[in-house]
Structure formats: structure tokens, C-alpha cells
Amino acid sequence: MKPAVVIFAETYETRLKRPVLEVVSEARRIADALGGTVHAVLVGVRDEALASQLAQQGADYVHVFGQPALAAYATEPYARAVAKVATDTDATAVLFSMTALGKDLAPRVAAKLDAGLVSDCISLSVSEGRLTARRAMYSGKALATCEWTGGVHVASLRPSVFRLGATDPNRGAETLTEGIDDTSARAKVVGREARDASTVELTEAQIVVSGGRGLKGPEHFHLIDELAAAMGAAVGASRAVVDSGWKEHPFQVGQTGKTVSPAVYVACAISGAIQHLAGMSSSKVIVAINKDPEAPIFKVANYGIVGDVFEVLPQLTKAAEAYFSGKD
Amino acid sequence: MKIIICVKQVPDTETQIRLGADGKSITEEAVKWIVSPYDEFAIEEGLQIREARDGEVIVVSLGPERAQSAIRTCLAMGADSGVHLLDAAFDDLDAMGTARCLAAAIRQLEPYDLVLTGQQGVGGDNSQIPGLLAELLDLPQVTMAVKVGLGDDSANVEREVEGARERWQTSLPAVISAQKGLNAPRYASLKGIMKAKKKPLDVKDAAALGLDPDVLLPKTRIVKLELPPPRPAVKMIEGDPGQQSAELLRLLHEEAKVI
């Protein structure tokens, strides 16, 4: 049997999440290096369109667990499903995205397989049939290279870091109808309140605009919202802003908040404490706007503007509106 | 209600990281050690549950000698007793090995109602222990809890996911991991610190946990630890706000090619 790379295809309201497509792309790259195949695991949905999307992104097989009892996510049965495919295919690697769901599911699957898990990887490489992974430690102050000592390589991949491969509309995959005997769950979702669907998800955004304490009060945070809207960006906040109650915790970027890796991170009136840098230092390009030229944020920034956010942000919003409307 | 809380001693986030001579670890000198901030949310939640419903709160931590001070901190906050998992054989554990030791210690505390942990230990940031523990103990899990409401044999838990807040229901006992937002952890009082010195603290090694060292062999290991590459020097944009804005967008488009 060819080496199998298994990926968990997380869905959100019958769509594949973008981080899943990144994981499939990376799985394809690894499978090619191993001379192997990519197996996607789709649980709780029976949708040909999703299977063909996974195929076009690089999957060779799509294992569909379409049992109605699996419609809503629950850790235990989903872990059984992924572990079943990993066992049946004698998987070399099992990959997840480090989303809230991936963070919940991956360790449970690793324990079932008695396998090692490397979490929140920022790169993977293959040498002599084995994987090594790189990941950040100590709030991004160090980078670790990790290896597995044997067994299945289980890894979760940081969203927005791995390159999305090209899709091939002519690529097909074999769809396999799967099932698990025990669909029971002792812990399950009984309700769900979606936040405003028009806002861009922080961890998946290509551009993030974040505000800090230099905005002086919640009544000024609209300056951040407006710039974010003009740039099609997600809104983030520093810990100081969240701890002061100006913004809720889901907006927090940093050590005790979210880790983001957008193409552009715009830090507005954020001094750049290490707790904040921990959550955004893997961004591709960092822009800092701060009135204090000595603020530590300028040490990690690619572009800096020393200035008053109350003067700069309205101008930047106007310029961004013109730029992005002209672009479309 | 018997609540077991797993805590980890970690370097303070502000601590400067120096690489060790082996190129795989950090030097411990001059590191300030703290209880992982997420674990403090777990402790606080356990204490609030005990205050509302009676029972006991037991803290379990695996680590070298220094980890005892983290357990004492939790006892000073109000936990009733501690278990320190200490053995030279624990020095090179990965997350799975750590979870096996914690699971063995927790089994020795049966019967219990709830296992609480932080949603990740800062520093390593693996976020694996809650799920590994739940599987090893054959318990349900709810991770990254921002609200916990306990019934007698079930719990309602809320967690934040991308774009939504989910409400979960789980039977007990269960493993629940704490996320920021769950509560505001208390500080240890002077009286608490004095009382903590007299609270029971068991020390257990691999033999006491009934663990064969072979099952603790790491499945993953760090082969190299390095400082991140320095970022290029910042390019400061001059001019009035209008000029700075136009120049920034031009640079993002033409030079960085990201918009």
C-alpha cells in the first residue's frame, strides 16, 4: 500500500473552511514527496460538491461518513471516524488545521492511535520517508524543529501559514462511503449563536487591523472598524483593550487570545508588548502606527508611521477605500 | 464534589529566552517561573464550584523540584491538597507521556467528578493535554470553556469557536479545559500563603503511579531550538497623514506585493 496522508476536512455550514484547503495542499505536497496518496475525511455531510473541491485541491480519496447522527460536531465520534481511516489506510501522517475544532479533535485522535502529535506547525518537511515539523515556542521567542520517534505522524497546522496549492478542475477523487458503529457522544453541542456573518474571521483573514489602548476609549474603536471595512480586513484588539472591556475576548490577538498570520497586520496604537507579539509575529508584513517612535512594535514592523491614530486612521481609511474600490 | 486540576509551571511570558548549550532547550537560570495563566482560570473555576457546592479541590502537577512552588501557589489560592509527579524519568516526556502520568495520578484519586485544566500551557503552547487526558481516562471533554454551569451529573459549557459561541452539554465526570474569559482568578492572600505551607502535598514517582518507563518513551521530540530570524529593519514613512497613507498603500502593493 502506498503511504497514506490523511487529512480531516473540517466543514462550516456545509462549506469547507479555507484552512482545510491549506491542509489538503500541504498533504498533497507531502504525499508527492513520499510517493503516497491523500485521503480526506469528511464527517457529517454527504455532499458531492465538497468531495470534488477536495479532489481539485489534491485529495485522491474522500472518505465520507454521512450518518445523520454525525451531523453536528462531537469530539468522540469524530475522533473514531478519523482514527478508523488512519488505521484502515495504515496512515503515515494525519493532518488537522489548528482551528478551535482541530485543537479539540487532534489530541483525541493522537491518543486513540497512540501516536505523537506536533501542534500548530508552521512548516513540514519530508526526509527519508519521515516528517519533521517547525513550530513557535515561548511566545514566538524561539523556533523548534520537532521529529516523531516512530508511529503515525499526527500534526496540526497553523491557519494562513501554509500555501494554498493551485486547483485542478480536471482532478477527481474516489469517494468511499464510510460509517462507524458507535456514533454516541457524552459531550455534544446543544446550541450555537453565530456572530455577525458579515465580519471577517480573525484567524483566517488575509488582512487584520488591530487597535490598542492608544485609542483612549471604546468610543474611538470605530476608527479601527472603518479601516478594516475599507481593507476587507478582520478586526483585532490588544489585551489591554479586551481587559478594559472595550472589545470582547474573541477579538483579542496575542498570548491569551488568538494567533494570526495574515499577509498584512496593521497594529494601530499598540505598543507591542511580548504578549501581543506572540499572537501576530508570524504575519507576513507588519504595519505599525504609533505616536511613540520608541514603541517596541516598531522593532517587528516592516513599515512604520509615527503619528497620531486620530489623524492617520481617517486619512488611511479614505485612501484604502479609494485603493480597494478601484481594484475590484 | 471532587475536582482535580492539572497545572503546569511555565516561564513567565516576559522572561528573556536564552538557548541551552544542547541547542534543544532553554537555560533555566534567571527564568521566572509561574503557574500557566490558563491553569489559573481552571483553579479559580474549581474554587468557585467548591464554594458553591462543597467538596474538595486537588491540584496535580508534573515537573522537576521547582514545580512544587507552583503547587504551593495553587494551595495558597485555596486548593485543598496537591500531588507532585516527580521522577528523573519524567525529564524528557512529550505531551503524551505527561498525559499518561497525569492520567495515572488521576485514576488513583477515583472517584472524582471533574478534571479541569488550562486550555494550553504557555511556552510550549501545545494544547494537547486536555484531549489526551480525556481519551486516556475514557471521559468526555469540552475544551476552551468560557462558561461552566454544573448540575449533579452533567455540565453545561460554553466555548468560543471561529464565528460563533457554542453551548455544550456533557455528562460527568468530564475533562473541561479553561479559556480566558471563564473568570477572574483570585490572588493568594497572605493568610492563604501561610495556610498553604501546612496543606498536604504528596510526591509520586513513576513506580508509585504504577507506570512502566517504557510507555513513557517520547513519540515526538525537539531536535533543535533556535531564535527566530531577525525581521528586516522597519521602513519609516514620512510626510503628513495623507502622504503617509498613500505611500503605505503604494509600498504594500508595489514592494511587499500583499494587497
Side-chain angles (χ1 to χ4, degrees), chain A residues 53-107:
Chain A
Q53 199 186 353
L54 289 163
Q56 288 171 14
Q57 198 72 56
D60 300 299
Y61 300 90
V62 181
H63 300 254
V64 182
F65 293 78
Q67 293 156 280
L70 299 174
Y73 174 69
T75 320
E76 293 167 88
Y78 274 52
R80 284 179 212 121
V82 180
K84 178 179 188 292
V85 174
T87 306
D88 291 350
T89 59
D90 192 18
T92 301
V94 181
L95 308 182
F96 297 85
S97 181
M98 188 74 163
T99 57
L101 189 154
K103 214 168 175 179
D104 186 74
L105 183 61

Side-chain angles (χ1 to χ4, degrees), chain A residues 196-260:
Chain A
D196 184 358
S198 67
T199 60
V200 183
E201 174 52 40
L202 197 47
T203 50
E204 296 170 24
Q206 294 304 295
I207 306 178
V208 173
V209 179
S210 281
R213 190 151 47 185
L215 285 159
K216 296 196 168 86
E219 68 276 18
H220 300 131
F221 216 85
H222 67 92
L223 293 169
I224 301 298
D225 297 333
E226 286 156 12
L227 177 58
M231 298 183 84
V235 171
S238 70
R239 185 174 87 174
V241 160
V242 171
D243 285 353
S244 307
W246 305 354
K247 273 290 191 193
E248 293 159 336
H249 182 247
F251 290 94
Q252 187 184 326
V253 172
Q255 181 76 71
T256 47
K258 293 200 164 111
T259 303
V260 298

Side-chain angles (χ1 to χ4, degrees), chain A residues 104 134 141 143 190 195 303, chain B residues 13 15 143 160 226 255:
Chain A
D104 186 74
R134 279 164 63 88
K141 287 182 282 189
L143 286 178
V190 292
R195 280 191 290 278
Y303 301 114
Chain B
T13 316
T15 289
T143 52
E160 292 283 352
E226 57 201 317
E255 187 177 81

